């Protein structure tokens, strides 16, 4: 049973999305990816740190041959996007001619994703798609082609299921929103 509220740093959070709903969204994305990439061997590029839970659950549902690698980028400070993308850990695999799927926890402003897509497109993959568990359409500041979306959310600051508030809250299986 989930706590009725959680405290992280100076903020209180209340339950928002149960783990069962989140896992349903993950399975829906996986089903589409398994269909769309049947007979191919895509490379899943997992954006750390927030996407680790989503990626783990997504990979458990993949029935196609695929590979997984990781990249770490940062654009958040506290509860808002800084708008500045900093690549911390780079991609080691050769991606030219490969089918690449970026696995992201959440796309809100789109700053990070826009920059990441531009950097990766320059490396000439055969195809480049985004699988995001959450998106906040009213926050988007870039026109992005997000093909695989788990859930569209209003502009609420959320934690849990890999998402954090200054490093805390990633460990909860449910998602919580700030009070």
């Amino acid at each position: 049973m989930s706590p009725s509220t959680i405290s992280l740093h100076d903020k209180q959070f209340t339950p928002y999305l149960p783990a069962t709903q989140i896992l349903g969204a993950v399975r829906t994305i996986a089903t589409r990816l398994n269909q769309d990439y049947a007979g191919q061997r895509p490379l899943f590029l997992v954006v750390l740190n927030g996407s680790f839970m989503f990626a783990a659950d997504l990979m458990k549902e993949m029935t196609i041959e695929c590979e997984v690698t990781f990249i770490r980028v940062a654009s958040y400070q506290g509860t808002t996007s800084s708008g500045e993308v900093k690549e911390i850990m780079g991609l080691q695999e050769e991606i030219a001619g490969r089918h690449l799927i970026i696995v992201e926890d959440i796309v809100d402003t789109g700053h990070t994703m826009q920059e990441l897509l531009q950097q990766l497109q320059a490396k000439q993959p055969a195809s480049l798609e985004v699988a995001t568990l959450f998106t906040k359409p009213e926050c988007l500041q870039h026109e992005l082609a997000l093909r695989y979306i788990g859930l569209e959310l209003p502009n609420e600051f959320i934690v849990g299921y890999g998402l954090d508030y200054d490093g805390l809250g990633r460990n909860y299986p449910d998602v919580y929103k700030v009070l």
Side-chain angles (χ1 to χ4, degrees), residues 32-49:
R32 289 187 54 215
L33 288 166
N34 283 323
Q35 292 169 351
D36 293 352
Y37 288 90
Q40 300 174 36
R41 187 179 2 149
L43 174 62
F44 287 88
L45 176 62
V46 179
V47 181
L48 296 174
N49 285 342

Side-chain angles (χ1 to χ4, degrees), residues 54-171:
F54 173 38
D57 287 338
L58 183 66
M59 291 301 106
K60 292 174 196 173
E61 300 292 329
M62 298 308 302
T63 58
I64 59 169
E65 192 173 280
C66 60
E67 295 177 54
V68 181
T69 193
F70 302 88
I71 191 169
R72 186 171 175 181
V73 296
S75 67
Y76 257 80
Q77 295 175 332
T79 61
T80 58
S81 177
S82 67
E84 182 180 334
V85 175
K86 301 172 186 172
E87 184 173 332
I88 299 169
M89 182 176 70
L91 178 65
Q92 301 301 312
E93 288 79 3
E94 176 60 47
I95 65 167
R98 300 281 315 268
H99 295 287
L100 187 63
I101 302 162
I102 300 170
V103 178
E104 180 65 292
D105 55 353
I106 188 165
V107 175
D108 45 28
T109 65
H111 294 315
T112 301
M113 190 53 61
Q114 176 73 14
E115 180 65 26
L116 191 53
L117 286 166
Q118 287 176 355
Q119 289 178 20
L120 293 170
Q121 198 64 267
K123 296 178 185 288
Q124 302 179 331
S127 65
L128 179 58
E129 297 292 346
V130 176
T132 183
L133 183 56
F134 304 118
T135 187
K136 297 179 183 177
E138 65 190 66
C139 295
L140 274 175
Q141 297 177 18
H142 300 274
E143 195 167 316
L144 299 172
L146 303 175
R147 187 165 178 190
Y148 304 96
I149 297 171
L151 298 166
E152 290 186 355
L153 305 176
N155 189 17
E156 301 275 359
F157 185 75
I158 57 175
V159 298
Y161 197 76
L163 297 150
D164 74 306
Y165 171 42
D166 283 344
L168 297 179
R170 294 188 194 278
N171 55 305

